[in-house]
């Protein structure tokens, strides 16, 4: 490739990255703005952070977001893993039915899932609030957990659990000592997807909560109509948390594998 | 192994209640009229007729489709070259760039969309910059431009990653063979690279068009209170107007339109493949 072309493509990539990151950086910069303006930077201050931490509705929304995300992740990972293991042993007809039904929340536009749940909760006279939000989050997280555990089960040797039981393991032991550890990578990635899906959800939460219960997304949506720089502070904190945890998730395995390969290299050398 | 089969049963019950019943409720409401109690169903097409005969609603449908198509086209135009450039990097650089492109998608969509409201204001960064050259202020926020910008901004990474994946899966020996047989870079791209990366473009279209046509928070935040798309009508039918029957009918129409467009996209893809094979 010619040098000119290479510089051209680097510039293009630079513009795309700028486009993706500029608004996020803009928000972060203006979270330290002294004034209330979202357009003129008048001086550095932590004022909006103080305002954010003393704002009860914001802290409550943050609390609900985290609690729902944690509970939805735990429950959906558990149920999803159990279902996936059951599915791998089930007859084809049941497998097909469950897989088809699971496609619905993944393929449907979020707003369709949202109104469906809204009608369900009103149909059974379940009052909108914290529990409806939690149930809804569990509902849309499970299919993703199943989807990420299933491939691991497919590659798992079916004789392994059988062998464990022949050797005297109870079904429970075969499950917890053989099958679950073998699918751990799939379970973990399923849990990660579930957590971020729940943490970021707006559309479904917006339709199924009420009675003063809200999450960060709903808060940002309702507050975006008036100028409130505390939202910038809240955004900055979310961006920092997500970025740090994503970098950790991406860096730790590569560090670990480096360490592992180092250990293996040392071992090999010792054998020699 | 039969003892493990029972592990599916709880989820069968759960998914029937939480996934299947809500879908049936949408169908039920769409074909009945307001005030119907559960005990007495009155089958009707009234809700569909109301939507399909009213020009204001049809205009909204047209706007939504237009915005979604424009967003998708812009995402392909920007996303394809980006994916192409990244796919040519070394293995290590590739992974780093994929992380750079996907990282923003993990951050709350509302937060990222909200960031644009400050930038696009009449006295925002863009207009302040333009005012140096004595231009403007150009109205940016609460326009079609702002809505499309917000959607491209939110959905572009999906397009890039899909195209990137299909480009990296491609068999490079085919390109070399084309070069050896005397095809120039342009011809190689058009005859080899582009057709082979089509599956990525198609799944990219699905991932951009579907959320774009049904979105309601982006038009509300960047298009303003009076900006109407299919998503915003459904929202107002359910949360303010309270006409669930009409709202259900609209979302059913939207779901059907999405299904048809996905079907067409897949058909177009297959047609092209056949053509490519005959060449």
């Amino acid at each position: 490739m010619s040098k000119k072309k290479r510089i051209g493509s680097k510039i293009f990539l630079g513009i795309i990255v700028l486009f993706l990151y500029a608004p996020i950086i803009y928000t972060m910069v203006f979270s330290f703005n002294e004034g209330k303006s979202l357009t003129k930077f008048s001086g550095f201050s932590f004022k909006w952070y103080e305002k954010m931490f003393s704002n009860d509705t914001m802290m409550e929304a943050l609390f609900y977001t985290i609690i729902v995300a944690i509970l939805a992740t735990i429950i959906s990972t558990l149920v999803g893993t159990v279902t996936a293991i059951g599915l791998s042993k089930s007859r084809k007809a049941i497998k097909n039915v469950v897989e088809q039904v699971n496609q619905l929340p993944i393929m449907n536009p979020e707003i369709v899932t949202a109104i469906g749940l809204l009608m369900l909760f009103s149909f059974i006279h379940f009052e909108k609030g914290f529990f409806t939000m939690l149930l809804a989050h569990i509902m849309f997280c499970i299919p993703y957990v199943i989807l990420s555990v299933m491939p691991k089960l497919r590659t798992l040797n079916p004789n392994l659990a059988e062998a464990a039981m022949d050797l005297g393991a109870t079904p429970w032991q075969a499950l917890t000592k053989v099958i679950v550890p073998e699918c751990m990578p799939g379970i973990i990635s399923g849990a990660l997807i579930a957590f971020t899906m729940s943490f970021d959800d707006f559309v479904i939460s917006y339709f199924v909560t009420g009675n003063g219960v809200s999450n960060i997304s709903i808060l940002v949506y309702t507050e975006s109509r008036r100028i409130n720089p505390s939202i910038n502070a809240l955004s900055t904190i979310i961006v920092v948390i997500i970025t740090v945890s994503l970098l950790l998730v991406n860096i730790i395995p590569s560090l670990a594998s480096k360490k592992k390969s180092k250990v293996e290299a040392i071992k090999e050398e010792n054998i020699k | 192994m039969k003892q493990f089969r029972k592990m599916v049963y709880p989820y069968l019950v759960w998914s029937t209640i939480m996934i299947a019943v809500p879908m049936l409720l949408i169908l039920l409401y769409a074909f009945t009229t307001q005030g119907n109690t559960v005990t007495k169903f009155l089958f009707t097409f009234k809700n569909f007729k109301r939507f399909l005969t009213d020009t204001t609603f049809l205009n909204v449908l047209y706007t939504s489709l237009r915005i979604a198509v424009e967003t998708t086209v812009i995402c392909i135009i920007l996303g394809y070259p980006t994916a192409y450039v990244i796919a040519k990097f070394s293995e290590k650089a590739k992974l780093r760039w994929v992380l750079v492109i996907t990282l923003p998608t993990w951050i709350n969509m509302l937060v990222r969309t909200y960031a644009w409201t400050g930038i696009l204001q009449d006295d925002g960064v863009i207009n302040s910059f333009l005012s140096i050259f004595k231009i403007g202020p150009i109205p940016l926020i609460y326009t079609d431009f702002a809505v499309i910008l917000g959607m491209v901004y939110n959905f572009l990474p999906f397009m890039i990653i899909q195209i990137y994946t299909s480009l990296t899966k491609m068999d490079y020996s085919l390109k070399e063979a084309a070069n050896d047989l005397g095809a120039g870079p342009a011809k190689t791209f058009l005859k080899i690279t582009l057709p082979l990366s089509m599956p990525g473009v198609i799944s990219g279209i699905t991932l951009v068009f579907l959320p774009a046509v049904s979105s309601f928070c982006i038009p509300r935040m960047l298009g303003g209170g009076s900006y109407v798309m299919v998503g915003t009508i459904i929202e107002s039918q359910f949360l303010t107007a309270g006409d669930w029957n009409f709202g259900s009918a609209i979302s059913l129409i939207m779901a059907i339109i999405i299904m048809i467009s996905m079907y067409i996209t897949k058909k177009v893809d297959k047609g092209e493949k056949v053509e490519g094979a005959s060449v």
Side-chain angles (χ1 to χ4, degrees):
Chain A
M1 215 202 294
S2 67
K3 219 174 186 181
K4 230 187 206 168
K5 234 177 175 178
R6 223 180 299 161
I7 292 170
S9 57
K10 280 247 168 82
I11 291 172
F12 181 76
L13 208 56
I15 292 170
I16 294 291
V17 170
L18 187 74
F19 172 62
L20 291 177
Y21 283 86
I24 299 169
I25 294 163
Y26 185 87
T27 314
M28 294 172 105
V29 169
F30 274 87
S31 71
F32 296 108
N33 191 6
E34 249 249 86
K36 205 180 174 178
S37 167
L38 288 176
T39 50
K40 299 254 166 347
F41 199 84
S42 46
F44 186 89
S45 90
F46 282 111
K47 189 166 119 194
W48 301 112
Y49 286 87
E50 280 162 29
K51 282 231 164 115
M52 181 194 88
F53 282 114
S54 59
N55 184 333
D56 284 343
T57 34
M58 275 196 176
M59 285 298 105
E60 244 171 55
L62 192 64
F63 170 77
Y64 281 128
T65 308
I66 293 170
I67 287 290
V68 167
I70 291 174
L71 288 176
T73 305
I74 295 172
I75 299 169
S76 62
T77 308
L78 263 174
V79 177
T81 307
V82 165
T83 310
I85 293 171
L87 278 181
S88 70
K89 311 285 178 206
S90 295
R91 266 169 291 140
K92 208 151 187 193
I94 291 186
K95 212 169 162 177
N96 279 343
V97 168
V98 174
E99 273 169 11
Q100 289 296 325
V101 171
N102 268 348
Q103 281 297 315
L104 282 172
I106 295 173
M107 287 310 291
N108 265 336
E110 271 186 307
I111 196 166
V112 174
T113 311
I115 59 168
L117 285 171
L118 168 75
M119 289 196 279
L120 174 77
F121 290 136
S122 92
F123 192 71
I124 56 176
H125 300 290
F126 204 146
E127 208 175 324
K128 289 205 277 181
F130 175 79
F131 280 105
T132 48
M133 175 150 83
L134 180 62
L135 286 174
H137 281 221
I138 294 168
M139 173 255 163
F140 70 72
C141 285
I142 293 175
Y144 290 95
V145 177
I146 294 178
L147 272 187
S148 63
V149 179
M150 279 306 262
K152 288 276 159 216
L153 283 164
R154 238 174 258 137
T155 54
L156 182 74
N157 188 343
N159 298 328
L160 223 52
E162 210 93 51
M165 284 195 269
D166 284 346
L167 291 169
T170 59
W172 172 250
Q173 281 172 326
L175 195 68
T176 52
K177 305 248 169 186
V178 179
I179 299 176
V180 170
E182 285 291 320
C183 321
M184 222 38 188
I187 297 173
I188 290 171
S189 69
L192 253 173
I193 296 171
F195 186 85
T196 47
M197 297 262 313
S198 166
F199 195 84
D200 287 347
D201 181 65
F202 166 64
V203 178
I204 294 170
S205 307
Y206 182 65
F207 276 85
V208 301
T209 55
N211 295 320
V213 177
S214 70
N215 65 6
I216 294 171
S217 305
I218 298 171
L219 192 82
V220 173
Y221 179 72
T222 47
E223 290 286 314
S224 71
R225 286 167 207 173
R226 55 199 120 125
I227 292 173
N228 182 358
S230 301
I231 294 285
N232 288 338
L234 185 70
S235 303
T236 305
I237 289 177
I238 295 169
V239 170
V240 169
I241 293 173
I242 299 260
T243 312
V244 168
S245 47
L246 273 180
L247 288 178
L248 283 180
V249 167
N250 275 282
I251 289 167
I252 287 173
S254 72
L255 282 182
S257 69
K258 254 185 207 161
K259 227 181 202 172
K260 216 177 174 184
S261 56
K262 230 183 216 169
V263 170
E264 269 158 21
I266 292 166
K267 262 187 199 162
E268 263 172 40
E269 225 150 78
N270 285 344
I271 292 166
K272 275 178 199 166
Chain B
M1 285 297 122
K2 271 189 189 151
Q3 51 269 64
F4 291 147
R5 282 188 184 172
K6 289 195 193 101
M7 289 162 72
V8 186
Y9 298 157
Y11 188 66
L12 270 180
V13 176
W14 165 272
S15 58
T16 309
I17 299 170
M18 295 294 288
I19 301 176
V21 171
M23 293 301 127
L24 293 176
L25 280 174
I26 293 177
L27 275 178
L28 181 75
Y29 271 87
F31 288 104
T32 48
T33 45
Q34 201 168 13
N36 266 3
T37 48
V38 193
T39 45
K40 122 180 150 201
F41 299 116
L42 284 170
F43 184 81
T44 176
F45 280 116
K46 211 182 96 194
N47 302 310
F48 293 93
K49 216 172 145 193
R50 183 174 158 201
F51 187 86
L52 296 171
T53 51
D54 194 327
T55 45
T56 42
F57 289 128
L58 288 177
N59 273 333
V60 170
L61 188 63
Y62 170 72
T63 312
S64 305
L65 289 173
R66 182 174 56 84
I67 297 278
V69 169
E70 283 172 9
T71 303
T72 314
V73 170
I74 294 171
C75 280
I76 296 173
I77 293 171
L78 293 178
Y80 201 100
T82 315
Y84 192 78
V85 171
I86 295 175
K88 284 200 165 171
F89 284 147
S90 69
E91 281 309 314
K92 230 181 166 181
K94 264 185 206 167
L95 290 180
R96 208 180 312 132
W97 277 101
V98 167
L99 183 64
V100 167
I101 298 292
T102 48
L103 205 136
T105 62
W106 294 86
I107 297 161
N108 199 304
M109 187 169 130
L110 274 293
V111 166
R112 286 181 297 136
T113 309
Y114 170 76
W116 281 103
T117 54
I119 297 174
L120 296 173
Q121 294 292 344
D122 284 349
D123 56 348
V125 179
I126 296 174
N127 273 318
S128 315
F129 178 73
L130 288 176
S131 70
I132 300 171
F133 307 103
K134 301 265 181 282
I135 306 170
I138 302 167
L140 294 170
I141 195 153
Y142 307 145
T143 59
D144 271 4
F145 170 77
V147 175
I148 293 174
L149 180 80
M151 290 197 181
V152 170
Y153 177 69
N154 273 294
F155 308 136
L156 179 63
F158 301 133
M159 182 66 84
I160 295 176
I161 294 307
Q162 291 303 319
I163 298 174
Y164 161 82
T165 314
S166 69
L167 280 173
T168 48
K169 273 187 196 154
M170 209 174 76
D171 187 355
Y172 265 81
S173 56
L174 282 172
K175 262 178 91 176
E176 279 163 24
N179 273 327
D180 289 347
L181 293 169
K187 202 168 184 191
T188 314
F189 177 78
L190 284 177
K191 293 276 174 188
I192 307 285
T193 315
L194 194 61
L196 283 176
S197 60
M198 257 346 242
V201 177
I202 298 295
S203 46
I205 290 173
T206 320
L207 286 180
V208 173
F209 183 80
L210 195 136
V213 82
S214 63
S215 168
F216 82 91
C217 52
I218 297 173
R220 273 282 151 83
M221 285 171 89
L222 297 175
S226 53
Y227 200 91
V228 193
M229 280 180 69
V230 175
T232 58
I233 299 193
I234 297 175
E235 185 224 344
S236 57
Q237 289 306 322
F238 275 91
L239 298 180
T240 48
D243 191 345
W244 291 12
N245 306 85
F246 188 46
S248 298
I250 301 171
S251 41
L252 211 60
I253 293 171
M254 186 178 73
I256 290 167
I257 288 172
I258 287 174
M259 267 195 278
I260 293 172
S261 32
M262 293 302 122
Y263 181 75
I264 293 171
T265 337
K266 271 187 189 147
K267 267 273 144 117
V268 169
D269 180 38
K270 267 183 195 148
E272 268 181 16
K273 253 184 207 154
V274 172
E275 235 172 74
S278 67
V279 173

